Amino acid sequence: MIESNTKSENNLRYFLMLVASVLNETEPPLPDENINWQEVFELASSQSMAAVVFYGADKLPDSLKPDGNVYAYLKQMYAEQLVVDMNLSVETQRMLNLLSDNGISCMPLKGIVTKNDYPLANLRSMTDIDILCDDRKKAESVFLSEGYVRESVGEKDSSFRKNEILHFEVHSDLVNNTSPAYRYFNNVWKRAITDEKTNIVKMKLDDTYIYMLEHLAGHLEYGGAGVRMFADVYMFLKKHSDKLNQTEISEVLSSIGLDEFERFILKLVNNWFSGD
């Protein structure tokens, strides 16, 4: 049993090292003879990071690449994710423009924004697109008029789908009104930046980071979080840390009870992805 656990731990470690090499745009680590590519593939698939693993593994010498079936599966998942990313990106821009044309202020959230921090945008998988709207009811009508079917209605968001790929969540609030962060994020529109040409609103970088941590904390508290969410934090900081107002961020995180959580997350993502 100890030997089995050790092998699984080695495969997990190699999976994280391979992911880190892609995130940092460095050469992939060479696998030793004990690496089980099937298990690495299962990890990549379960964490929605198959495209990242393929991108890294594809740079290995031919003799060290995954065995035939695993390599084929990874390559197929990479190709499928590329198609999904293209379709979601084009449709997101179309819907944001349409919402804006209807006088609705809208702010893209989460993956559709975070993907631009990755070495290649299509490496960051997405299953849906989250949009914050200042008039959720009116936004819902626009989605329905465009052939979308409403799948669910919640306290702070509604879900719409048109086919297997096009899936949107329309938010009226970023967090539940019982959250310590509700008051802060209730004023997110006042701090946001509006693109004068498109009228599409972007969240301020400081708010993006705080929301990323708050969202991650919620996942960990109520259900769990995959490696991809931690990679998002790492990539965001890798690209934007020099533009953040760390003093203000620390004050906000302290006020909503996430200051110690941030310190833990920073240690974790640096341990996994920094190469140390």
Side-chain angles (χ1 to χ4, degrees):
M1 184 62 125
I2 293 175
E3 182 181 359
S4 175
N5 286 338
T6 300
K7 287 182 179 179
S8 293
E9 184 177 319
N10 286 339
N11 289 322
L12 172 59
R13 182 180 290 109
Y14 183 73
F15 163 72
L16 290 172
M17 290 170 64
L18 194 57
V19 169
S21 73
V22 175
L23 300 185
N24 295 308
E25 301 182 78
T26 58
E27 290 298 312
L30 301 180
D32 61 39
E33 65 277 5
N34 296 316
I35 292 300
N36 183 327
W37 276 110
Q38 179 62 36
E39 188 168 335
V40 174
F41 166 73
E42 290 171 2
L43 279 166
S45 181
S46 70
Q47 299 300 312
S48 300
M49 300 195 80
V52 173
V53 169
F54 171 76
Y55 190 75
D58 194 45
K59 295 181 178 181
L60 291 168
D62 288 343
S63 61
L64 296 177
K65 286 180 180 177
D67 7 339
N69 286 338
V70 170
Y71 183 81
Y73 289 145
L74 285 170
K75 187 175 183 178
Q76 179 181 345
M77 294 179 79
Y78 179 87
E80 290 175 353
Q81 185 167 308
L82 182 60
V83 172
V84 170
D85 178 75
M86 290 174 62
N87 279 274
L88 279 175
S89 297
V90 170
E91 180 67 357
T92 298
Q93 192 59 56
R94 188 182 78 85
M95 290 306 300
L96 287 173
N97 291 337
L98 189 58
L99 291 165
S100 178
D101 291 344
N102 280 269
I104 304 166
S105 292
C106 43
M107 182 187 299
L109 307 168
K110 303 179 187 176
I112 193 65
V113 177
T114 307
K115 76 189 191 89
N116 295 312
D117 297 333
Y118 282 68
L120 294 175
N122 64 287
L123 292 176
R124 204 287 188 184
S125 65
M126 297 184 294
T127 55
D128 58 20
I129 303 297
D130 294 86
I131 300 175
L132 179 69
C133 297
D134 67 345
D135 190 333
R136 175 177 158 191
K137 187 174 181 180
K138 192 174 179 181
E140 290 178 348
S141 298
V142 172
F143 273 93
L144 292 172
S145 70
E146 289 297 303
Y148 281 83
V149 175
R150 182 161 36 209
E151 287 191 316
S152 63
V153 179
E155 179 183 341
K156 65 182 183 68
D157 55 60
S158 302
S159 176
F160 293 86
R161 184 180 293 277
K162 184 179 283 189
N163 53 40
E164 291 184 3
I165 293 178
L166 304 181
H167 181 207
F168 284 79
E169 287 190 5
V170 179
H171 297 254
S172 54
D173 291 296
L174 289 174
V175 298
N176 293 321
N177 57 15
T178 56
S179 168
Y182 180 77
R183 178 179 292 182
Y184 179 77
F185 282 115
N186 196 39
N187 293 320
V188 71
W189 291 105
K190 296 180 180 178
R191 297 185 297 271
I193 303 165
T194 303
D195 188 313
E196 295 180 359
K197 294 182 179 179
T198 63
N199 202 35
I200 293 171
V201 182
K202 295 182 179 180
M203 192 183 291
K204 195 172 121 181
L205 283 176
D206 289 6
D207 284 350
T208 299
Y209 177 59
I210 295 168
Y211 179 58
M212 192 177 288
L213 290 174
E214 196 283 335
H215 185 64
L216 176 56
H219 268 269
L220 287 171
E221 182 175 3
Y222 295 111
V227 172
R228 186 184 62 180
M229 294 188 73
F230 298 92
D232 285 351
V233 175
Y234 179 76
M235 291 309 300
F236 177 85
L237 290 174
K238 185 175 173 64
K239 186 169 182 179
H240 303 291
S241 61
D242 60 332
K243 307 179 201 72
L244 300 178
N245 188 325
Q246 298 290 354
T247 301
E248 288 188 8
I249 288 173
S250 295
E251 290 176 357
V252 173
L253 291 176
S254 178
S255 71
I256 62 178
L258 289 180
D259 47 339
E260 290 186 18
F261 178 74
E262 181 201 25
R263 287 192 283 274
F264 165 73
I265 293 301
L266 292 180
K267 288 181 180 179
L268 181 64
V269 300
N270 283 323
N271 179 270
W272 281 359
F273 305 126
S274 71
D276 293 339

